[in-house]
Amino acid sequence: MDCIDRLRALREDNDLTQTEVADYLGTSQTMYARYERRASELPIRHLIKLCALYNISADYILSTQPNKRRAVGKAYLKTE
């Protein structure tokens, strides 16, 4: 499950329509539907508002977990 799947599941689990979420975000239902279809990228400002709406962290939506073996900083730049 990726971040868009999580957002759709959160919306459905909370019995919200795309229109209700779009109104909360200050955008149109058409634009929000584009996010769920992966036709447009979700702006960070909307991600932040969705985290507040669902009372969750961005880590949950983004599925990010620390990887202790991953190079960081200058070491990361050298491996790319």
Side-chain angles (χ1 to χ4, degrees):
M1 181 179 279
D2 70 5
C3 64
I4 299 302
D5 294 330
R6 279 189 177 75
L7 287 175
R8 183 179 300 119
L10 283 164
R11 180 180 58 77
E12 291 171 350
D13 290 348
N14 285 278
D15 298 321
L16 295 169
T17 65
Q18 287 183 342
T19 300
E20 290 170 324
V21 175
D23 288 345
Y24 175 78
L25 295 175
T27 192
S28 67
Q29 180 276 330
T30 303
M31 192 66 208
Y32 186 79
R34 290 180 59 83
Y35 301 151
E36 286 194 0
R37 285 194 329 265
R38 296 172 177 83
S40 293
E41 289 189 19
L42 180 74
I44 290 179
R45 68 181 185 280
H46 288 174
L47 173 63
I48 292 166
K49 286 188 82 170
L50 289 169
C51 290
L53 175 65
Y54 299 125
N55 194 29
I56 56 170
S57 73
D59 286 336
Y60 173 76
I61 292 176
L62 300 173
S63 306
T64 57
Q65 297 179 6
N67 182 347
K68 293 182 181 180
R69 295 182 181 261
R70 185 173 157 239
V72 296
K74 289 184 180 180
Y76 178 77
L77 293 175
K78 291 178 184 175
T79 62
E80 288 295 302

